[in-house]
Amino acid sequence: MHEYSFLLGIINRNFSNRTFSQSRGQTQMCINEPAGLSSSACSKPGSPSAKMMSSWILLVALACGLVGAQDPTLQELSTKVQQLTTKVEELQRDVSVRQVAFSAALLETQEWTDVGPFDADKTLEFKKVVTNVGNGYNPETGIFTAPVKGLYYFRVTGMAGSSGELNAGLKKNGQNMFAIYQKAGTQAGTSNGMALELEQGDRVYVQLWPNLTVADQSRLSTFTGFLVFPM
């Protein structure tokens, strides 16, 4: 605390001969000089004497701040603030990863179009991406890759094509999870959905069974998924 005592001594030496008076609603600074000195020794705000006093006050405040900055308690506080800032940034990054949702239609064209038939199981590439929060879905491959471990919900809708029959399944890492099936003829639709537990890096996609077709008009056959909550 000796630094503060030193600064207070400076204040006392420089302002021991100064007083303040109130006159007609205006604050004045007066210098205590020998008797008989004219009242002009009182300086109004903005006068050279008042400006000098303001400068001293500013200088003392700055010096006190510099001394206070060396206080170990303030240094510890500064370290804590930096640690909290780093933690908040990490949480923000974590939250952004945990926000996952996508939805895509099979085709971008608005013309009625068939996809298939194929000789083997065909991974459907849903090209018209409407939503892809977290960038987990790849429209070039038709595969969704889980960016984080958690419980996800998936839904697939499909419209039967010219074959008059639609059978397609949602797979996780090659394993069948659920399917959509329709045998009512062309322009007949079907839908199904399921909640799945996924590990980070698990792959989910839709495959069309051989010798069948699926149709779309940019909005009829869709693939949707989102993270319900992380685990």
Side-chain angles (χ1 to χ4, degrees), residues 4-215:
Y4 294 102
S5 300
F6 174 73
L7 292 172
L8 290 174
I10 293 176
I11 296 174
N12 290 331
R13 286 196 298 273
N14 285 276
F15 299 110
S16 60
N17 62 337
R18 290 168 170 80
T19 60
F20 295 92
S21 66
Q22 187 75 19
S23 175
R24 296 182 180 179
Q26 294 184 337
T27 302
Q28 297 179 327
M29 181 183 73
C30 300
I31 303 175
N32 297 326
E33 298 292 352
L37 184 64
S38 171
S39 61
S40 62
C42 291
S43 57
K44 296 181 179 180
S47 66
S49 297
K51 291 181 179 179
M52 180 180 295
M53 180 180 180
S54 298
S55 299
W56 270 105
I57 293 174
L58 180 60
L59 178 61
V60 171
L62 179 60
C64 289
L66 292 175
V67 172
Q70 299 175 0
D71 191 330
T73 302
L74 294 180
Q75 292 179 352
E76 293 175 1
L77 180 59
S78 177
T79 300
K80 290 292 185 182
V81 169
Q82 183 60 44
Q83 292 174 346
L84 289 173
T85 300
T86 302
K87 185 63 176 178
V88 169
E89 291 174 349
E90 291 175 353
L91 290 174
Q92 288 176 335
R93 289 193 295 269
D94 190 47
V95 167
S96 65
V97 170
R98 293 168 184 250
Q99 294 176 338
V100 184
F102 76 94
S103 189
L106 185 61
L107 300 173
E108 294 181 328
T109 179
Q110 295 186 5
E111 299 295 328
W112 182 272
T113 305
D114 280 355
V115 175
F118 302 97
D119 295 334
D121 292 350
K122 168 64 176 177
T123 299
L124 296 176
E125 300 159 359
F126 292 80
K127 293 292 189 180
K128 184 178 181 180
V129 177
V130 178
T131 304
N132 196 11
V133 179
N135 295 316
Y137 175 71
N138 185 346
E140 298 301 319
T141 62
I143 297 173
F144 169 77
T145 304
V148 64
K149 179 181 179 180
L151 180 70
Y152 292 78
Y153 181 80
F154 295 95
R155 190 158 196 87
V156 179
T157 64
M159 188 69 64
S162 58
S163 65
E165 182 179 357
L166 169 62
N167 197 345
L170 182 135
K171 294 185 177 182
K172 181 183 80 170
N173 300 328
Q175 180 182 3
N176 289 321
M177 295 289 100
F178 66 86
I180 57 174
Y181 179 74
Q182 179 59 262
K183 196 178 180 180
T186 60
Q187 300 185 5
T190 181
S191 180
N192 201 356
M194 183 179 289
L196 299 174
E197 293 184 25
L198 300 183
E199 298 288 337
Q200 183 179 8
D202 280 351
R203 291 152 49 98
V204 178
Y205 45 92
V206 180
Q207 286 193 331
L208 179 67
W209 280 195
N211 304 316
L212 300 176
T213 58
V214 58

